[in-house]
Amino acid sequence: MSEAVKTSSLNGAVSPMIPVLICALAIFLLSGMDAAMKSLTIAVGVYNTLLWRSVVATVVAGAAWSAGSRSKPALPVLGLHALRAAMVGIVLVLFFWGLARLPLAEAIGLSFVAPLFALFLAALLLGERIRRQAVWASLAGMAGVAIILTGQFGAASHSQDALLGTVAVLASTVFYAYNLILSRQQALLAKPVEIMLFQNLFVAIILGLAAPWLAVALPGDLWLPLAGVALLSLAGQFLMSWSYARAEAQYLIPTEYSAFIWAIALGWFFFGEKVAWTTLAGACLIVAGCLIAARANPKLAEPIEAAM
């Protein structure tokens, strides 16, 4: 027996600006996670960091899901969870492998190719009409990234390891663009806590297939940082899912560019990475792109009904 369940409850009292601001907060938390993940991947490698983070996140999200009101996801929804988890797994491995070989700000800057891809995928796969403000916002952000990367690649010669890291990050953006579209579809069919649980569970299962050959026990002093990374990841996922259930993807995608601002600050503070004037100039364009998107008066997503 099935019943129609509205998975996103919106009312006229909710300001259209709120999803944009909440999504920007999610980006901030996830940027902090990236900085912490860079340290962990350098210490124990990409695979073990991602495997154990997914396991911890699954336990925490599972506890939250069990404590609240819950319903068993329908098979099509589970399939969507699994599909997005596969995309996320590919993105995580490629991105954090590259991140360990590049400055934080540079890796984040390269990843901004994804939102421009996702902007047009939103039109192709979700049927969203791309508005002029959204296009200008993404172009401003991309121009900022281009200025930054021109300054960084022109200032110093990069090693072969850094070149491979660049290729890995760029490859991850292709999958991340599709991931952004899936997150919109997923957010309309499931609650944030359910998304957090099944996304991390499926990622842990996928990565766990290689555990007999690659997994190692983490040193005791790394479990606390790993728990912090997992909490930042869950908080970012929750807020992003909440936002994508309430605003069209084209308005939320440009907020991804704000991650570069946090990457500059965190890279300088934790890793001593220098910031060139081209980086600052590009960051100003990125901020401008986010402001254009925020002033576009984003349309709230309509609640939909799913058979459960």
PDB file of all heavy atoms in Angstrom, residues 44-79:
ATOM      1  N   VAL A  44      47.343   9.434   5.718  1.00  0.00           N
ATOM      2  CA  VAL A  44      47.002   8.011   5.573  1.00  0.00           C
ATOM      3  C   VAL A  44      46.517   7.637   4.176  1.00  0.00           C
ATOM      4  O   VAL A  44      46.128   6.496   3.951  1.00  0.00           O
ATOM      5  CB  VAL A  44      45.928   7.596   6.613  1.00  0.00           C
ATOM      6  CG1 VAL A  44      46.471   7.717   8.018  1.00  0.00           C
ATOM      7  CG2 VAL A  44      44.649   8.404   6.454  1.00  0.00           C
ATOM      8  N   GLY A  45      46.514   8.574   3.244  1.00  0.00           N
ATOM      9  CA  GLY A  45      46.093   8.265   1.890  1.00  0.00           C
ATOM     10  C   GLY A  45      44.623   8.544   1.645  1.00  0.00           C
ATOM     11  O   GLY A  45      43.824   8.626   2.585  1.00  0.00           O
ATOM     12  N   VAL A  46      44.279   8.669   0.371  1.00  0.00           N
ATOM     13  CA  VAL A  46      42.916   9.025  -0.004  1.00  0.00           C
ATOM     14  C   VAL A  46      41.931   7.920   0.358  1.00  0.00           C
ATOM     15  O   VAL A  46      40.879   8.169   0.951  1.00  0.00           O
ATOM     16  CB  VAL A  46      42.829   9.319  -1.518  1.00  0.00           C
ATOM     17  CG1 VAL A  46      41.391   9.561  -1.933  1.00  0.00           C
ATOM     18  CG2 VAL A  46      43.691  10.517  -1.871  1.00  0.00           C
ATOM     19  N   TYR A  47      42.256   6.686   0.006  1.00  0.00           N
ATOM     20  CA  TYR A  47      41.298   5.593   0.188  1.00  0.00           C
ATOM     21  C   TYR A  47      40.893   5.427   1.651  1.00  0.00           C
ATOM     22  O   TYR A  47      39.696   5.372   1.967  1.00  0.00           O
ATOM     23  CB  TYR A  47      41.875   4.283  -0.344  1.00  0.00           C
ATOM     24  CG  TYR A  47      40.968   3.104  -0.053  1.00  0.00           C
ATOM     25  CD1 TYR A  47      39.855   2.849  -0.841  1.00  0.00           C
ATOM     26  CD2 TYR A  47      41.215   2.270   1.037  1.00  0.00           C
ATOM     27  CE1 TYR A  47      39.005   1.787  -0.569  1.00  0.00           C
ATOM     28  CE2 TYR A  47      40.369   1.207   1.327  1.00  0.00           C
ATOM     29  CZ  TYR A  47      39.266   0.974   0.519  1.00  0.00           C
ATOM     30  OH  TYR A  47      38.421  -0.061   0.814  1.00  0.00           O
ATOM     31  N   ASN A  48      41.862   5.312   2.546  1.00  0.00           N
ATOM     32  CA  ASN A  48      41.532   5.057   3.946  1.00  0.00           C
ATOM     33  C   ASN A  48      40.827   6.242   4.595  1.00  0.00           C
ATOM     34  O   ASN A  48      39.938   6.062   5.432  1.00  0.00           O
ATOM     35  CB  ASN A  48      42.800   4.684   4.725  1.00  0.00           C
ATOM     36  CG  ASN A  48      43.221   3.258   4.455  1.00  0.00           C
ATOM     37  OD1 ASN A  48      42.637   2.317   4.976  1.00  0.00           O
ATOM     38  ND2 ASN A  48      44.238   3.088   3.612  1.00  0.00           N
ATOM     39  N   THR A  49      41.195   7.448   4.207  1.00  0.00           N
ATOM     40  CA  THR A  49      40.495   8.622   4.743  1.00  0.00           C
ATOM     41  C   THR A  49      39.031   8.599   4.332  1.00  0.00           C
ATOM     42  O   THR A  49      38.137   8.806   5.160  1.00  0.00           O
ATOM     43  CB  THR A  49      41.157   9.911   4.230  1.00  0.00           C
ATOM     44  OG1 THR A  49      42.527   9.949   4.652  1.00  0.00           O
ATOM     45  CG2 THR A  49      40.448  11.138   4.799  1.00  0.00           C
ATOM     46  N   LEU A  50      38.758   8.330   3.053  1.00  0.00           N
ATOM     47  CA  LEU A  50      37.382   8.316   2.574  1.00  0.00           C
ATOM     48  C   LEU A  50      36.589   7.132   3.134  1.00  0.00           C
ATOM     49  O   LEU A  50      35.416   7.268   3.477  1.00  0.00           O
ATOM     50  CB  LEU A  50      37.358   8.274   1.051  1.00  0.00           C
ATOM     51  CG  LEU A  50      37.887   9.524   0.338  1.00  0.00           C
ATOM     52  CD1 LEU A  50      37.913   9.305  -1.171  1.00  0.00           C
ATOM     53  CD2 LEU A  50      37.030  10.732   0.673  1.00  0.00           C
ATOM     54  N   LEU A  51      37.231   5.974   3.213  1.00  0.00           N
ATOM     55  CA  LEU A  51      36.540   4.793   3.742  1.00  0.00           C
ATOM     56  C   LEU A  51      36.089   5.009   5.177  1.00  0.00           C
ATOM     57  O   LEU A  51      34.909   4.830   5.504  1.00  0.00           O
ATOM     58  CB  LEU A  51      37.457   3.568   3.663  1.00  0.00           C
ATOM     59  CG  LEU A  51      36.912   2.298   4.329  1.00  0.00           C
ATOM     60  CD1 LEU A  51      35.673   1.803   3.595  1.00  0.00           C
ATOM     61  CD2 LEU A  51      37.994   1.206   4.378  1.00  0.00           C
ATOM     62  N   TRP A  52      37.010   5.407   6.038  1.00  0.00           N
ATOM     63  CA  TRP A  52      36.678   5.552   7.458  1.00  0.00           C
ATOM     64  C   TRP A  52      35.775   6.753   7.698  1.00  0.00           C
ATOM     65  O   TRP A  52      34.921   6.726   8.588  1.00  0.00           O
ATOM     66  CB  TRP A  52      37.944   5.633   8.305  1.00  0.00           C
ATOM     67  CG  TRP A  52      38.719   4.344   8.297  1.00  0.00           C
ATOM     68  CD1 TRP A  52      39.964   4.134   7.787  1.00  0.00           C
ATOM     69  CD2 TRP A  52      38.277   3.078   8.805  1.00  0.00           C
ATOM     70  NE1 TRP A  52      40.333   2.824   7.936  1.00  0.00           N
ATOM     71  CE2 TRP A  52      39.319   2.154   8.565  1.00  0.00           C
ATOM     72  CE3 TRP A  52      37.106   2.639   9.419  1.00  0.00           C
ATOM     73  CZ2 TRP A  52      39.214   0.807   8.938  1.00  0.00           C
ATOM     74  CZ3 TRP A  52      37.009   1.295   9.795  1.00  0.00           C
ATOM     75  CH2 TRP A  52      38.047   0.404   9.553  1.00  0.00           C
ATOM     76  N   ARG A  53      35.912   7.809   6.898  1.00  0.00           N
ATOM     77  CA  ARG A  53      34.981   8.936   7.033  1.00  0.00           C
ATOM     78  C   ARG A  53      33.565   8.507   6.692  1.00  0.00           C
ATOM     79  O   ARG A  53      32.600   8.872   7.371  1.00  0.00           O
ATOM     80  CB  ARG A  53      35.395  10.089   6.114  1.00  0.00           C
ATOM     81  CG  ARG A  53      34.616  11.364   6.373  1.00  0.00           C
ATOM     82  CD  ARG A  53      34.695  12.338   5.215  1.00  0.00           C
ATOM     83  NE  ARG A  53      33.847  11.924   4.088  1.00  0.00           N
ATOM     84  CZ  ARG A  53      33.575  12.697   3.045  1.00  0.00           C
ATOM     85  NH1 ARG A  53      34.094  13.906   2.974  1.00  0.00           N
ATOM     86  NH2 ARG A  53      32.809  12.267   2.074  1.00  0.00           N
ATOM     87  N   SER A  54      33.416   7.712   5.638  1.00  0.00           N
ATOM     88  CA  SER A  54      32.092   7.240   5.241  1.00  0.00           C
ATOM     89  C   SER A  54      31.484   6.333   6.313  1.00  0.00           C
ATOM     90  O   SER A  54      30.280   6.393   6.572  1.00  0.00           O
ATOM     91  CB  SER A  54      32.184   6.485   3.906  1.00  0.00           C
ATOM     92  OG  SER A  54      32.632   7.337   2.874  1.00  0.00           O
ATOM     93  N   VAL A  55      32.312   5.493   6.928  1.00  0.00           N
ATOM     94  CA  VAL A  55      31.819   4.598   7.981  1.00  0.00           C
ATOM     95  C   VAL A  55      31.331   5.407   9.174  1.00  0.00           C
ATOM     96  O   VAL A  55      30.233   5.172   9.703  1.00  0.00           O
ATOM     97  CB  VAL A  55      32.920   3.605   8.410  1.00  0.00           C
ATOM     98  CG1 VAL A  55      32.499   2.842   9.663  1.00  0.00           C
ATOM     99  CG2 VAL A  55      33.228   2.629   7.270  1.00  0.00           C
ATOM    100  N   VAL A  56      32.129   6.368   9.618  1.00  0.00           N
ATOM    101  CA  VAL A  56      31.737   7.199  10.774  1.00  0.00           C
ATOM    102  C   VAL A  56      30.485   7.999  10.442  1.00  0.00           C
ATOM    103  O   VAL A  56      29.549   8.088  11.258  1.00  0.00           O
ATOM    104  CB  VAL A  56      32.898   8.138  11.177  1.00  0.00           C
ATOM    105  CG1 VAL A  56      32.423   9.151  12.226  1.00  0.00           C
ATOM    106  CG2 VAL A  56      34.067   7.339  11.715  1.00  0.00           C
ATOM    107  N   ALA A  57      30.438   8.591   9.248  1.00  0.00           N
ATOM    108  CA  ALA A  57      29.276   9.389   8.852  1.00  0.00           C
ATOM    109  C   ALA A  57      28.018   8.524   8.769  1.00  0.00           C
ATOM    110  O   ALA A  57      26.923   8.975   9.121  1.00  0.00           O
ATOM    111  CB  ALA A  57      29.542  10.068   7.515  1.00  0.00           C
ATOM    112  N   THR A  58      28.156   7.281   8.305  1.00  0.00           N
ATOM    113  CA  THR A  58      27.008   6.380   8.231  1.00  0.00           C
ATOM    114  C   THR A  58      26.456   6.069   9.611  1.00  0.00           C
ATOM    115  O   THR A  58      25.233   6.051   9.819  1.00  0.00           O
ATOM    116  CB  THR A  58      27.407   5.062   7.522  1.00  0.00           C
ATOM    117  OG1 THR A  58      27.828   5.352   6.194  1.00  0.00           O
ATOM    118  CG2 THR A  58      26.230   4.086   7.484  1.00  0.00           C
ATOM    119  N   VAL A  59      27.342   5.849  10.579  1.00  0.00           N
ATOM    120  CA  VAL A  59      26.907   5.556  11.956  1.00  0.00           C
ATOM    121  C   VAL A  59      26.161   6.754  12.541  1.00  0.00           C
ATOM    122  O   VAL A  59      25.079   6.609  13.133  1.00  0.00           O
ATOM    123  CB  VAL A  59      28.115   5.185  12.836  1.00  0.00           C
ATOM    124  CG1 VAL A  59      27.690   5.090  14.308  1.00  0.00           C
ATOM    125  CG2 VAL A  59      28.727   3.868  12.371  1.00  0.00           C
ATOM    126  N   VAL A  60      26.712   7.952  12.374  1.00  0.00           N
ATOM    127  CA  VAL A  60      26.077   9.154  12.928  1.00  0.00           C
ATOM    128  C   VAL A  60      24.741   9.423  12.240  1.00  0.00           C
ATOM    129  O   VAL A  60      23.719   9.679  12.896  1.00  0.00           O
ATOM    130  CB  VAL A  60      27.013  10.374  12.784  1.00  0.00           C
ATOM    131  CG1 VAL A  60      26.306  11.650  13.243  1.00  0.00           C
ATOM    132  CG2 VAL A  60      28.289  10.159  13.595  1.00  0.00           C
ATOM    133  N   ALA A  61      24.724   9.369  10.907  1.00  0.00           N
ATOM    134  CA  ALA A  61      23.491   9.617  10.172  1.00  0.00           C
ATOM    135  C   ALA A  61      22.451   8.542  10.453  1.00  0.00           C
ATOM    136  O   ALA A  61      21.246   8.821  10.541  1.00  0.00           O
ATOM    137  CB  ALA A  61      23.780   9.686   8.667  1.00  0.00           C
ATOM    138  N   GLY A  62      22.903   7.296  10.625  1.00  0.00           N
ATOM    139  CA  GLY A  62      21.978   6.212  10.941  1.00  0.00           C
ATOM    140  C   GLY A  62      21.308   6.411  12.287  1.00  0.00           C
ATOM    141  O   GLY A  62      20.109   6.144  12.448  1.00  0.00           O
ATOM    142  N   ALA A  63      22.077   6.905  13.262  1.00  0.00           N
ATOM    143  CA  ALA A  63      21.503   7.184  14.574  1.00  0.00           C
ATOM    144  C   ALA A  63      20.459   8.290  14.486  1.00  0.00           C
ATOM    145  O   ALA A  63      19.380   8.203  15.105  1.00  0.00           O
ATOM    146  CB  ALA A  63      22.613   7.562  15.553  1.00  0.00           C
ATOM    147  N   ALA A  64      20.763   9.337  13.708  1.00  0.00           N
ATOM    148  CA  ALA A  64      19.805  10.442  13.552  1.00  0.00           C
ATOM    149  C   ALA A  64      18.549   9.976  12.824  1.00  0.00           C
ATOM    150  O   ALA A  64      17.429  10.359  13.175  1.00  0.00           O
ATOM    151  CB  ALA A  64      20.465  11.591  12.796  1.00  0.00           C
ATOM    152  N   TRP A  65      18.719   9.138  11.812  1.00  0.00           N
ATOM    153  CA  TRP A  65      17.578   8.632  11.046  1.00  0.00           C
ATOM    154  C   TRP A  65      16.698   7.730  11.907  1.00  0.00           C
ATOM    155  O   TRP A  65      15.468   7.801  11.843  1.00  0.00           O
ATOM    156  CB  TRP A  65      18.089   7.879   9.834  1.00  0.00           C
ATOM    157  CG  TRP A  65      17.027   7.413   8.880  1.00  0.00           C
ATOM    158  CD1 TRP A  65      16.296   8.166   8.017  1.00  0.00           C
ATOM    159  CD2 TRP A  65      16.604   6.061   8.678  1.00  0.00           C
ATOM    160  NE1 TRP A  65      15.435   7.378   7.288  1.00  0.00           N
ATOM    161  CE2 TRP A  65      15.601   6.075   7.674  1.00  0.00           C
ATOM    162  CE3 TRP A  65      16.981   4.832   9.246  1.00  0.00           C
ATOM    163  CZ2 TRP A  65      14.977   4.918   7.226  1.00  0.00           C
ATOM    164  CZ3 TRP A  65      16.352   3.677   8.791  1.00  0.00           C
ATOM    165  CH2 TRP A  65      15.365   3.735   7.800  1.00  0.00           C
ATOM    166  N   SER A  66      17.321   6.895  12.744  1.00  0.00           N
ATOM    167  CA  SER A  66      16.569   5.981  13.606  1.00  0.00           C
ATOM    168  C   SER A  66      15.815   6.721  14.694  1.00  0.00           C
ATOM    169  O   SER A  66      14.740   6.283  15.126  1.00  0.00           O
ATOM    170  CB  SER A  66      17.515   4.955  14.240  1.00  0.00           C
ATOM    171  OG  SER A  66      18.173   4.182  13.253  1.00  0.00           O
ATOM    172  N   ALA A  67      16.364   7.844  15.157  1.00  0.00           N
ATOM    173  CA  ALA A  67      15.751   8.584  16.250  1.00  0.00           C
ATOM    174  C   ALA A  67      14.524   9.373  15.816  1.00  0.00           C
ATOM    175  O   ALA A  67      13.648   9.668  16.633  1.00  0.00           O
ATOM    176  CB  ALA A  67      16.777   9.525  16.884  1.00  0.00           C
ATOM    177  N   GLY A  68      14.438   9.735  14.554  1.00  0.00           N
ATOM    178  CA  GLY A  68      13.333  10.556  14.079  1.00  0.00           C
ATOM    179  C   GLY A  68      12.267   9.741  13.380  1.00  0.00           C
ATOM    180  O   GLY A  68      12.326   8.507  13.322  1.00  0.00           O
ATOM    181  N   SER A  69      11.269  10.448  12.853  1.00  0.00           N
ATOM    182  CA  SER A  69      10.236   9.777  12.064  1.00  0.00           C
ATOM    183  C   SER A  69      10.837   9.351  10.735  1.00  0.00           C
ATOM    184  O   SER A  69      11.522  10.121  10.078  1.00  0.00           O
ATOM    185  CB  SER A  69       9.048  10.715  11.831  1.00  0.00           C
ATOM    186  OG  SER A  69       9.467  11.877  11.145  1.00  0.00           O
ATOM    187  N   ARG A  70      10.609   8.129  10.353  1.00  0.00           N
ATOM    188  CA  ARG A  70      11.254   7.615   9.147  1.00  0.00           C
ATOM    189  C   ARG A  70      10.311   6.665   8.427  1.00  0.00           C
ATOM    190  O   ARG A  70       9.372   6.116   9.006  1.00  0.00           O
ATOM    191  CB  ARG A  70      12.552   6.881   9.501  1.00  0.00           C
ATOM    192  CG  ARG A  70      12.333   5.667  10.397  1.00  0.00           C
ATOM    193  CD  ARG A  70      13.660   5.102  10.898  1.00  0.00           C
ATOM    194  NE  ARG A  70      13.465   3.883  11.674  1.00  0.00           N
ATOM    195  CZ  ARG A  70      13.131   3.852  12.946  1.00  0.00           C
ATOM    196  NH1 ARG A  70      12.949   4.997  13.598  1.00  0.00           N
ATOM    197  NH2 ARG A  70      12.974   2.706  13.585  1.00  0.00           N
ATOM    198  N   SER A  71      10.560   6.483   7.158  1.00  0.00           N
ATOM    199  CA  SER A  71       9.826   5.522   6.359  1.00  0.00           C
ATOM    200  C   SER A  71      10.803   4.858   5.407  1.00  0.00           C
ATOM    201  O   SER A  71      11.812   5.446   5.022  1.00  0.00           O
ATOM    202  CB  SER A  71       8.697   6.203   5.575  1.00  0.00           C
ATOM    203  OG  SER A  71       9.226   7.211   4.732  1.00  0.00           O
ATOM    204  N   LYS A  72      10.504   3.641   5.027  1.00  0.00           N
ATOM    205  CA  LYS A  72      11.390   2.908   4.137  1.00  0.00           C
ATOM    206  C   LYS A  72      11.338   3.503   2.738  1.00  0.00           C
ATOM    207  O   LYS A  72      10.263   3.641   2.164  1.00  0.00           O
ATOM    208  CB  LYS A  72      10.977   1.438   4.098  1.00  0.00           C
ATOM    209  CG  LYS A  72      11.911   0.571   3.263  1.00  0.00           C
ATOM    210  CD  LYS A  72      11.461  -0.876   3.281  1.00  0.00           C
ATOM    211  CE  LYS A  72      12.376  -1.734   2.414  1.00  0.00           C
ATOM    212  NZ  LYS A  72      11.930  -3.160   2.409  1.00  0.00           N
ATOM    213  N   PRO A  73      12.481   3.883   2.178  1.00  0.00           N
ATOM    214  CA  PRO A  73      12.475   4.473   0.829  1.00  0.00           C
ATOM    215  C   PRO A  73      11.986   3.475  -0.219  1.00  0.00           C
ATOM    216  O   PRO A  73      12.255   2.276  -0.120  1.00  0.00           O
ATOM    217  CB  PRO A  73      13.947   4.837   0.593  1.00  0.00           C
ATOM    218  CG  PRO A  73      14.593   4.813   1.933  1.00  0.00           C
ATOM    219  CD  PRO A  73      13.835   3.823   2.743  1.00  0.00           C
ATOM    220  N   ALA A  74      11.255   3.957  -1.205  1.00  0.00           N
ATOM    221  CA  ALA A  74      10.834   3.112  -2.316  1.00  0.00           C
ATOM    222  C   ALA A  74      12.050   2.731  -3.151  1.00  0.00           C
ATOM    223  O   ALA A  74      13.094   3.397  -3.117  1.00  0.00           O
ATOM    224  CB  ALA A  74       9.814   3.849  -3.171  1.00  0.00           C
ATOM    225  N   LEU A  75      11.918   1.652  -3.918  1.00  0.00           N
ATOM    226  CA  LEU A  75      13.045   1.161  -4.709  1.00  0.00           C
ATOM    227  C   LEU A  75      13.601   2.208  -5.682  1.00  0.00           C
ATOM    228  O   LEU A  75      14.825   2.338  -5.807  1.00  0.00           O
ATOM    229  CB  LEU A  75      12.632  -0.102  -5.469  1.00  0.00           C
ATOM    230  CG  LEU A  75      12.552  -1.385  -4.629  1.00  0.00           C
ATOM    231  CD1 LEU A  75      12.087  -2.560  -5.494  1.00  0.00           C
ATOM    232  CD2 LEU A  75      13.905  -1.695  -3.988  1.00  0.00           C
ATOM    233  N   PRO A  76      12.742   2.988  -6.384  1.00  0.00           N
ATOM    234  CA  PRO A  76      13.300   4.022  -7.272  1.00  0.00           C
ATOM    235  C   PRO A  76      14.126   5.067  -6.515  1.00  0.00           C
ATOM    236  O   PRO A  76      15.134   5.553  -7.029  1.00  0.00           O
ATOM    237  CB  PRO A  76      12.055   4.653  -7.910  1.00  0.00           C
ATOM    238  CG  PRO A  76      11.011   3.596  -7.830  1.00  0.00           C
ATOM    239  CD  PRO A  76      11.270   2.892  -6.528  1.00  0.00           C
ATOM    240  N   VAL A  77      13.692   5.394  -5.292  1.00  0.00           N
ATOM    241  CA  VAL A  77      14.438   6.368  -4.488  1.00  0.00           C
ATOM    242  C   VAL A  77      15.760   5.766  -4.037  1.00  0.00           C
ATOM    243  O   VAL A  77      16.799   6.430  -4.057  1.00  0.00           O
ATOM    244  CB  VAL A  77      13.602   6.830  -3.280  1.00  0.00           C
ATOM    245  CG1 VAL A  77      14.396   7.821  -2.434  1.00  0.00           C
ATOM    246  CG2 VAL A  77      12.297   7.462  -3.749  1.00  0.00           C
ATOM    247  N   LEU A  78      15.742   4.499  -3.634  1.00  0.00           N
ATOM    248  CA  LEU A  78      16.988   3.824  -3.269  1.00  0.00           C
ATOM    249  C   LEU A  78      17.949   3.780  -4.457  1.00  0.00           C
ATOM    250  O   LEU A  78      19.159   3.946  -4.301  1.00  0.00           O
ATOM    251  CB  LEU A  78      16.700   2.400  -2.791  1.00  0.00           C
ATOM    252  CG  LEU A  78      16.272   2.224  -1.327  1.00  0.00           C
ATOM    253  CD1 LEU A  78      15.932   0.763  -1.058  1.00  0.00           C
ATOM    254  CD2 LEU A  78      17.361   2.705  -0.386  1.00  0.00           C
ATOM    255  N   GLY A  79      17.390   3.562  -5.637  1.00  0.00           N
ATOM    256  CA  GLY A  79      18.225   3.565  -6.834  1.00  0.00           C
ATOM    257  C   GLY A  79      18.879   4.913  -7.068  1.00  0.00           C
ATOM    258  O   GLY A  79      20.054   4.989  -7.454  1.00  0.00           O
TER     259      GLY A  79
END
